[in-house]
Amino acid sequence: MLLQRLTLCSRIPQDSLRHVRWLLTRPLLQAPQGRAHGSSFAHRGELRQAKRIVVKLGSAVVTRGDECGLALGRLASIVEQVAMLQNQGREMMIVTSGAVAFGKQRLRHEILLSQSVRQALHSGQNQLKDMSLPVLEARACAAAGQSGLMALYEAMFTQYSTCTAQVLVTNLDFHDDQKRQNLNSTLQELLRMNIVPIINTNDAVVPPPEPNSDLQGVNVISIKDNDSLAARLAVEMKADLLIALSDVEGLYNSPPGTDDAKLIDIFYPGDQQSITYGTKSRVGIGGMEAKVKAALWALQGGTSVVIANGTHPKVTGQVITDIVEGKKVGTFFSEIKPAGPTVEQQTEMARSTGRTLASLHPDQRSEIICHLAELLTERKEEILAANKMDMDLAVNAGHLPPAMLKRLSLSPAKLNSLAIGLRQIAVAAQDSVGRVLRRTRVAHNLELEQITVPIGVLLVIFEARPDCLPQVSALAIASGNALLLKGGKEAANTNRVLHQLAQEALSMHGVKEAIQLVSTREEVEDLCRLDKMIDLIIPRGSSQLVRDIQRAAKGIPVLGHSEGICHVYVDVDASVDKVIKIVRDSKCDYPAACNAMETLLIHRDILRTPLFDQIIDMLRNERVKIHAGPRFVSYLTFSPSEAKSLRTEYGDLECCVEVVDSMQEAVDHIHKYGSSHTDVIITENACVSAETAYHHMHPLPTPFCPALHKRSTDRSTAAV
């Protein structure tokens, strides 16, 4: 009986016994709901919903490189991740190898010890003869190693107050209906009690695998190794996810290590004939072909499968938890094949076509940009209709703040402004590529030139701001760069139409695929890992987005930008007409723009003057909400709401008003609270020229050291 084989953990320390009982009986809050079994998850992102998970540990993961003993560091990392998921309310099961390797280590030690004692007794000499180890039979090693392997798992899981149980199975346990029911009942009861079952084939008694036995159909599977055992167990227990850890990153289209080998991100059942299998790993009896067959069998039974590398925790990180979080790790098996290309294929197409784009004559690139500008006005009804769909969805959802809704919205005036801007870029495109920046004569008849060249493939990630797409597309075309675009889902319909127009303009010179729009369920973090395909990442959005991209980027430079905390300082010698026009334009024309005014600094002597009254009246007429700075509040009897912070980017018809005593104090305020984006000084004082303002706004240490002082490339300062 399988119940007689079951060994529950019994040596739990007294100080953690109460905590374990609490874990077994506590209500699980916000536990994953799983899904109705019968169909696997279609996308990686859905793996977060996995409730019941089987983790298969291959021999190469569990054993050391010398095949004699266990890789304790790797096991510790795996146990930590499994315990973490278990404590989240998931039901975890482990199918493990390692008993043979652990037993081999123990038996070798015993044999060496026995031989050394025997030789010492017979020879009576201290110097021992060379000892040769006999070939150890695998079943004997398994018998000697099972108890030690389980004791190790038990000790590791106890550190996380997680209880474990050992279950040994053979092929007969699945083919005999009564035994299979007993096995199912035992495992169900263990999972109900919040215990992690650790399952292995009973290698001490298991017969050798039949050579002609293979995986066939949904109801027939031969337990030849732990790959087939994990697949059969996952289907039998209606598991949501099977994670098979091995010593390779996943499934490749050709044997790993060859020049053309590429990791397959998503594998579909119909692609099985298009791959070539390599040799088996250094240990184990399965190999990648056995893993793929077992994975496809489990997929057919309704269990999602991911094959990944579990041998390098420092490289792969938290591989199990990363998979469950839906990150792009290993090879994901899916029954649903998307209609369009994968993001890797899109990047390859963009890179290949981008080289042709870079080789075009500047006039040809300018023609493409001008044609795109014409399409923005000619097809504005189509663009605005798509944008209306996005706006309606966003308003009904109620998730976007007003500032984001304004960025999402397009209008005929905004499209006309975009078209004008694109034509300006088209003029500048004439000398963007191939321009000689520096020429140095190195020797007679030998000159060294520094010229402008395209960067390669750009990944631009932007939030709910569809006007960014044609702008960035035009800049990429002008500079001869291929472009990969990832826009916010809130603008999906508008982005799709604008991307079609960009590709239509590119088609006039046969470079349609140079700009690609990622429309799949690709996580931004996964895109940031394509370091062999993408040359530069440019995030366009909030400062939080920029920080997230900078953290996620793996080996790819990120061209980030600062927050748009922009200042306008009104000097005591400012012109009334200029002040009103500049303040109105910088705050009210497009308040959601990153260079809109967020803080208005006013010289103290302007308070209680007609100019101050005109400024406040204009802001109120434009329905701008005013937040008073701490010094401004002190001058008022009844003041507007006090600003919570002087470092706020409102992005809406709101701004902070603060008082300063001089221009130098205004500059100091901007240095302290600004973001080095766009700042303005309004004055008629000839002493405060543009050059003087620039040096005040950009104090540099002497001598200037790039390693110690970083200046923002977005900085724009003006004295008016």
Side-chain angles (χ1 to χ4, degrees):
M1 293 288 292
L2 283 172
L3 288 174
Q4 293 175 334
R5 295 183 192 157
L6 177 63
T7 305
L8 285 172
C9 60
S10 58
R11 295 186 296 277
I12 301 177
Q14 289 296 322
D15 58 350
S16 60
L17 185 57
R18 292 181 181 177
H19 184 58
V20 172
R21 286 173 180 160
W22 174 79
L23 286 172
L24 298 180
T25 58
R26 80 193 195 282
L28 299 175
L29 302 177
Q30 298 180 342
Q33 298 299 314
R35 54 172 174 73
H37 195 79
S39 60
S40 58
F41 294 123
H43 307 282
R44 282 185 184 268
E46 297 174 350
L47 296 180
R48 299 185 183 94
Q49 305 171 23
K51 167 76 172 178
R52 182 168 291 180
I53 303 171
V54 176
V55 178
K56 183 264 174 182
L57 307 179
S59 300
V61 176
V62 177
T63 61
R64 295 198 314 237
D66 59 3
E67 304 175 25
C68 186
L70 303 180
L72 299 181
R74 291 200 290 265
L75 278 180
S77 175
I78 290 168
V79 166
E80 180 183 20
Q81 295 172 70
V82 171
M84 183 189 305
L85 294 172
Q86 179 82 1
N87 290 332
Q88 289 176 0
R90 305 180 197 269
E91 297 174 343
M92 305 298 296
M93 293 179 281
I94 294 178
V95 176
T96 182
S97 302
V100 174
F102 197 82
K104 185 184 293 186
Q105 182 186 34
R106 294 182 63 182
L107 292 181
R108 281 184 175 180
H109 178 76
E110 292 296 329
I111 291 172
L112 286 172
L113 182 61
S114 175
Q115 286 181 348
S116 62
V117 172
R118 203 177 297 120
Q119 286 191 14
L121 291 175
H122 287 289
S123 64
Q125 301 175 359
N126 293 331
Q127 187 173 1
L128 301 178
K129 299 178 181 179
D130 292 336
M131 293 177 291
S132 60
L133 289 174
V135 177
L136 299 177
E137 206 271 334
R139 283 191 286 268
C141 292
Q146 282 289 357
S147 60
L149 178 64
M150 189 59 207
L152 181 62
Y153 274 120
E154 182 181 325
M156 287 183 171
F157 273 105
T158 299
Q159 302 301 314
Y160 302 96
S161 300
T162 301
C163 193
T164 58
Q166 182 182 29
V167 180
L168 298 177
V169 299
T170 65
N171 209 5
L172 298 176
D173 297 323
F174 289 96
H175 290 294
D176 184 278
D177 290 341
Q178 184 60 46
K179 291 184 176 181
R180 189 172 70 251
Q181 291 176 10
N182 290 343
L183 173 62
N184 191 301
S185 176
T186 299
L187 293 174
Q188 294 285 3
E189 183 67 11
L190 291 174
L191 295 175
R192 187 190 69 81
M193 293 189 295
N194 202 36
I195 295 173
V196 177
I198 298 178
I199 305 126
N200 195 0
T201 54
N202 192 355
D203 294 327
V205 299
V206 69
E210 301 176 16
N212 59 349
S213 177
D214 210 341
L215 309 178
Q216 306 169 17
V218 176
N219 298 319
V220 180
I221 184 171
S222 175
I223 307 301
K224 301 187 298 183
D225 49 44
N226 276 342
D227 294 314
S228 51
L229 169 61
R232 180 62 188 263
L233 186 73
V235 174
E236 182 72 29
M237 296 300 296
K238 296 181 172 59
D240 300 314
L241 173 62
L242 167 60
I243 300 175
L245 298 183
S246 181
D247 59 349
V248 292
E249 309 303 322
L251 185 60
Y252 287 79
N253 59 352
S254 58
T258 59
D259 292 338
D260 297 328
K262 292 183 180 179
L263 180 66
I264 299 174
D265 173 38
I266 305 178
F267 185 77
Y268 308 97
D271 296 341
Q272 191 173 4
Q273 305 301 322
S274 63
I275 61 174
T276 304
Y277 298 103
T279 58
K280 295 192 298 182
S281 65
R282 57 179 173 80
V283 290
I285 60 175
M288 185 54 71
E289 186 172 7
K291 290 176 176 58
V292 171
K293 289 182 178 180
L296 292 175
W297 191 90
L299 187 68
Q300 188 180 0
T303 297
S304 298
V305 183
V306 175
I307 296 177
N309 191 337
T311 59
H312 300 294
K314 292 183 179 180
V315 177
T316 57
Q318 302 292 307
V319 59
I320 298 175
T321 52
D322 284 350
I323 290 172
V324 175
E325 289 172 5
K327 295 180 181 179
K328 186 177 287 188
V329 178
T331 298
F332 172 62
F333 286 71
S334 175
E335 293 183 299
I336 301 177
K337 193 168 187 176
T342 65
V343 66
E344 289 84 3
Q345 291 170 335
Q346 285 185 292
T347 309
E348 288 288 350
M349 288 189 293
R351 181 178 290 278
S352 177
T353 313
R355 296 189 180 104
T356 306
L357 174 66
S359 65
L360 293 178
H361 191 275
D363 290 338
Q364 293 175 306
R365 289 195 294 270
S366 296
E367 287 176 10
I368 294 173
I369 299 172
C370 288
H371 186 40
L372 176 57
E374 293 170 0
L375 290 174
L376 289 179
T377 54
E378 293 174 1
R379 307 270 282 276
K380 63 181 178 182
E381 299 300 330
E382 182 181 354
I383 299 171
L384 294 176
N387 186 247
K388 185 178 184 303
M389 293 173 60
D390 290 328
M391 288 293 295
D392 291 343
L393 290 172
V395 171
N396 293 334
H399 298 317
L400 291 183
M404 292 288 284
L405 284 173
K406 290 179 181 178
R407 290 179 179 177
L408 176 61
S409 175
L410 291 179
S411 64
K414 189 178 286 189
L415 291 177
N416 290 334
S417 177
L418 278 173
I420 294 172
L422 262 59
R423 292 187 179 94
Q424 293 173 345
I425 294 175
V427 175
Q430 293 293 326
D431 61 348
S432 295
V433 179
R435 179 162 50 93
V436 178
L437 301 177
R438 185 182 304 167
R439 183 180 289 110
T440 304
R441 176 168 293 178
V442 179
H444 181 65
N445 292 331
L446 179 61
E447 290 186 348
L448 180 66
E449 289 185 343
Q450 180 186 10
I451 63 174
T452 56
V453 297
I455 294 173
V457 178
L458 311 179
L459 168 61
V460 177
I461 303 169
F462 54 100
E463 295 173 322
R465 46 200 312 162
D467 56 334
C468 180
L469 195 150
Q471 292 172 341
V472 173
S473 297
L475 290 170
I477 295 168
S479 56
N481 286 294
L483 184 60
L484 199 63
L485 294 161
K486 175 65 174 176
K489 61 180 181 295
E490 300 84 1
N493 294 296
T494 313
N495 289 339
R496 175 178 48 80
V497 173
L498 291 173
H499 175 248
Q500 290 173 351
L501 298 182
Q503 288 201 323
E504 183 177 333
L506 289 164
S507 298
M508 66 186 300
H509 287 295
V511 287
K512 175 182 177 181
E513 306 299 336
I515 296 179
Q516 298 287 328
L517 178 66
V518 179
S519 56
T520 60
R521 293 191 177 191
E522 211 72 30
E523 296 289 343
V524 169
E525 188 170 338
D526 294 329
L527 292 172
C528 293
R529 294 180 179 179
L530 300 177
D531 57 309
K532 295 182 179 178
M533 298 181 171
I534 295 171
D535 300 296
L536 179 66
I537 301 176
I538 306 174
R540 295 282 295 133
S542 66
S543 58
Q544 184 61 48
L545 172 68
V546 175
R547 287 193 293 268
D548 290 343
I549 298 303
Q550 289 172 334
R551 281 194 297 265
K554 304 296 183 182
I556 309 175
V558 177
L559 183 60
H561 64 84
S562 61
E563 296 174 288
I565 304 176
C566 306
H567 293 74
V568 172
Y569 165 61
V570 181
D571 189 48
V572 67
D573 297 319
S575 164
V576 175
D577 293 337
K578 286 183 180 179
V579 168
I580 300 301
K581 290 179 181 178
I582 293 173
V583 172
R584 177 188 285 115
D585 181 79
S586 60
K587 179 73 262 185
C588 308
D589 180 64
Y590 188 12
C594 57
N595 62 344
M597 181 191 75
E598 305 295 358
T599 299
L600 175 63
L601 299 177
I602 296 178
H603 194 283
R604 181 187 58 187
D605 294 344
I606 296 179
L607 293 176
R608 300 185 180 91
T609 65
L611 174 57
F612 176 77
D613 294 338
Q614 290 182 48
I615 295 173
I616 299 301
D617 290 342
M618 181 273 296
L619 292 175
R620 286 176 176 171
N621 291 335
E622 296 288 346
R623 298 183 179 180
V624 177
K625 183 178 180 180
I626 297 175
H627 301 277
R631 288 198 61 188
F632 186 37
V633 168
S634 65
Y635 285 94
L636 304 175
T637 305
F638 299 99
S639 67
S641 61
E642 187 172 353
K644 296 180 180 179
S645 171
L646 296 176
R647 289 192 178 95
T648 302
E649 183 179 7
Y650 297 100
D652 204 349
L653 286 174
E654 297 180 62
C655 73
C656 172
V657 176
E658 182 59 311
V659 176
V660 293
D661 292 336
S662 64
M663 190 200 73
Q664 184 57 52
E665 187 175 326
V667 171
D668 293 339
H669 178 102
I670 293 171
H671 282 315
K672 184 175 182 179
Y673 299 107
S675 60
S676 301
H677 194 295
T678 304
D679 303 289
V680 175
I681 295 173
I682 308 176
T683 184
E684 295 297 314
N685 190 333
C687 295
V688 188
S689 62
E691 181 180 358
T692 304
Y694 180 86
H695 287 295
H696 273 292
M697 304 296 280
H698 297 271
L700 301 180
T702 305
F704 174 69
C705 176
L708 299 176
H709 186 91
K710 179 180 178 182
R711 285 169 53 187
S712 170
T713 55
D714 290 334
R715 186 70 183 236
S716 175
T717 307
V720 181

